[in-house]
Amino acid sequence: MSDINITQTELNAPVPPVMAKLQSSHSHVRHNWNLREVNALFAMPFNDLMFKAQTIHRENFNPNEVQVSTLLSIKTGACPEDCKYCSQSARNKTDLEKESLLAVDKVLEAAQRAKEMGSTRFCMGAAWRNPKERDMPYVLDMVKNVKALGMETCMTLGMLSGDQADRLNDAGLDYYNHNLDTSPEHYNQIITTRTYQDRLDTLDNVRSAGMKVCSGGIVGLGEKAIDRASLLIQLANLSPQPESVPINMLVKVEGTPLADVDDLESFDFIRCIAVARIMMPKSHVRLSAGRTSMNEQMQAMCFLAGANSIFYGCKLLTTENPETNQDIALFEKLGINTETVDTDTEAADKIIKTAIVDQQHSDLFYNASV
Ligand code: SF4
């Protein structure tokens, strides 16, 4: 039994036994979490929970280093899925401007800028149920070229077949993002056009192809506390655990069914980050959508709870993200450094020139087909 398995009796006991247990924590990875013990983690006194999460964080990561990704929407809006939080669903009446799939050179320019701002990973997201066969040559091209800039690559394109996952892996895609969104119990309240099992199957295809998994969820969807525990159990009990775990705070968008849902209490969000860190000690836990509504102090608290990855840039797919320079200022105040990646400027220049030559072809293709 794990030393993380703290019982309610222990929680109510005088401080010394609990603290002794906290201080001797070992952050081995487990895949057999159950609701009772995860609920007990969520119920810990806040300071004890933060201490435990930070202790585990320090056993596995440099506590003053944050991995930085940039997310670019490569195809925006008109998605046939019915995710009730999403501004990109064709079923939600939002002001979002739709955009066809971007040309490869535009994607590369954005990737180069992201690299110059310190991003080590470039994530490309398309509002699709799943990629169509006609799209595959272009997304594969994007992966190859962004990879050649010396950045890690990540894509989120919806559901993937085994064959598509294999091809993306062969093109050099490092990570595939596919979130579980919420607990299996709350899921039908949020999405009806694909099942929870569909999501798990895509994650399985990604893992089998040899790519790293980026998967997390959204909190503040009107779920109960037990749903947050249940979501984290789903993620932590994947074997292996996702390398990257985005924890999103719902960004309420006018025109979506969740526009008026009650706000999540800030401490509940921070607890979620801390419990994710404890349950997935070796994963990068990403502070993701919803950062605009967090002040610096709350973001700092999230880093203390074990978050060690963020998105840079002013757009997070289609919702706002704090300006990059605000992030840099916050990192300076906190003494946080960004994780680094090797650069190869000559290779970058060459790739961009090649991509510009290809632009006309790309534009013609997408005008005709999307
Ligand atoms: S979350 Fe993704 S799949 Fe769902 S509606 Fe938005 S873009 Fe489509």
Side-chain angles (χ1 to χ4, degrees):
M1 181 64 72
S2 163
D3 51 6
I4 292 170
N5 187 20
I6 295 168
T7 65
Q8 199 57 45
T9 315
E10 287 172 313
L11 288 174
N12 296 334
V15 168
V18 175
M19 295 309 288
K21 181 162 273 195
L22 291 174
Q23 282 162 350
S24 67
S25 65
H26 295 294
S27 49
H28 59 271
V29 177
R30 289 179 48 203
H31 305 283
N32 59 348
W33 291 93
N34 64 52
L35 259 183
R36 185 186 58 80
E37 56 192 345
V38 178
N39 284 338
L41 286 173
F42 271 102
M44 285 174 78
F46 188 75
N47 287 344
D48 289 349
L49 177 63
M50 293 293 277
F51 180 76
K52 184 171 186 64
Q54 178 62 203
T55 303
I56 287 177
H57 188 49
R58 281 168 185 266
E59 288 171 2
N60 294 284
F61 292 98
N62 178 337
N64 299 310
E65 212 167 69
V66 167
Q67 186 272 329
V68 176
S69 301
T70 296
L71 178 58
L72 176 73
S73 180
I74 59 170
K75 184 267 171 184
T76 305
C79 181
E81 301 293 89
D82 72 345
C83 308
K84 296 202 172 36
Y85 53 83
C86 184
S87 59
Q88 305 206 64
S89 169
R91 301 165 196 237
N92 297 335
K93 302 283 168 270
T94 64
D95 294 337
L96 186 75
E97 262 184 52
K98 303 177 194 80
E99 274 180 28
S100 308
L101 189 61
L102 291 182
V104 178
D105 70 301
K106 295 276 185 296
V107 174
L108 282 179
E109 282 169 18
Q112 180 63 36
R113 277 199 304 278
K115 184 179 171 183
E116 284 159 9
M117 294 304 294
S119 279
T120 55
R121 190 178 309 157
F122 194 66
C123 307
M124 294 157 269
W128 287 324
R129 174 175 165 82
N130 51 269
K132 303 268 186 317
E133 203 37 53
R134 67 185 183 208
D135 303 313
M136 286 302 288
Y138 291 86
V139 295
L140 295 173
D141 215 17
M142 288 175 193
V143 171
K144 284 181 197 149
N145 287 317
V146 173
K147 183 92 178 159
L149 293 176
M151 300 182 84
E152 289 182 309
T153 50
C154 176
M155 279 194 157
T156 180
L157 312 173
M159 293 184 285
L160 282 190
S161 67
D163 174 61
Q164 288 173 325
D166 286 341
R167 287 154 72 196
L168 285 164
N169 180 60
D170 292 345
L173 189 65
D174 297 297
Y175 288 80
Y176 194 79
N177 164 265
H178 199 62
N179 290 333
L180 292 180
D181 281 6
T182 187
S183 67
E185 297 78 18
H186 190 60
Y187 185 80
N188 286 344
Q189 306 295 310
I190 305 299
I191 302 123
T192 64
T193 48
R194 69 178 70 163
T195 65
Y196 213 78
Q197 190 57 47
D198 287 334
R199 290 179 186 263
L200 293 169
D201 290 346
T202 289
L203 293 183
D204 203 34
N205 290 337
V206 169
R207 190 58 88 188
S208 302
M211 289 180 283
K212 293 179 188 148
V213 169
C214 172
S215 186
I218 309 171
V219 297
L221 297 171
E223 77 281 353
K224 299 190 192 75
I226 200 169
D227 291 307
R228 294 191 279 278
S230 174
L231 167 66
L232 292 181
I233 288 171
Q234 288 290 324
L235 293 165
N237 288 353
L238 290 172
S239 182
Q241 293 180 344
E243 282 80 3
S244 179
V245 181
I247 304 289
N248 298 280
M249 169 100 95
L250 175 69
V251 177
K252 293 190 243 179
V253 179
E254 190 92 18
T256 63
L258 295 181
D260 298 320
V261 76
D262 288 342
D263 283 338
L264 186 75
E265 158 72 44
S266 297
F267 288 115
D268 288 339
F269 182 82
I270 298 165
R271 279 180 184 276
C272 210
I273 297 271
V275 175
R277 165 52 64 227
I278 292 165
M279 295 171 70
M280 292 172 274
K282 298 186 188 299
S283 304
H284 276 82
V285 175
R286 176 173 304 142
L287 193 50
S288 231
R291 274 205 305 133
T292 351
S293 62
M294 298 175 199
N295 62 24
E296 289 189 332
Q297 290 76 10
M298 179 164 171
Q299 291 185 56
M301 199 73 101
C302 290
F303 293 134
L304 193 63
N308 62 342
S309 173
I310 63 159
F311 280 115
Y312 254 179
C314 54
K315 282 261 182 182
L316 194 50
L317 285 181
T318 62
T319 55
E320 283 180 25
N321 201 32
E323 292 294 337
T324 305
N325 55 8
Q326 289 175 15
D327 290 330
I328 291 169
L330 177 60
F331 282 2
E332 276 174 12
K333 286 182 202 174
L334 300 178
I336 284 178
N337 301 307
T338 56
E339 284 182 12
T340 52
V341 72
D342 288 341
T343 58
D344 183 346
T345 313
E346 207 179 310
D349 286 348
K350 188 163 160 233
I351 289 299
I352 284 188
K353 279 178 195 140
T354 311
I356 288 168
V357 173
D358 289 343
Q359 179 189 0
Q360 200 178 1
H361 179 215
S362 299
D363 287 348
L364 283 175
F365 177 84
Y366 287 113
N367 287 339
S369 67
V370 177

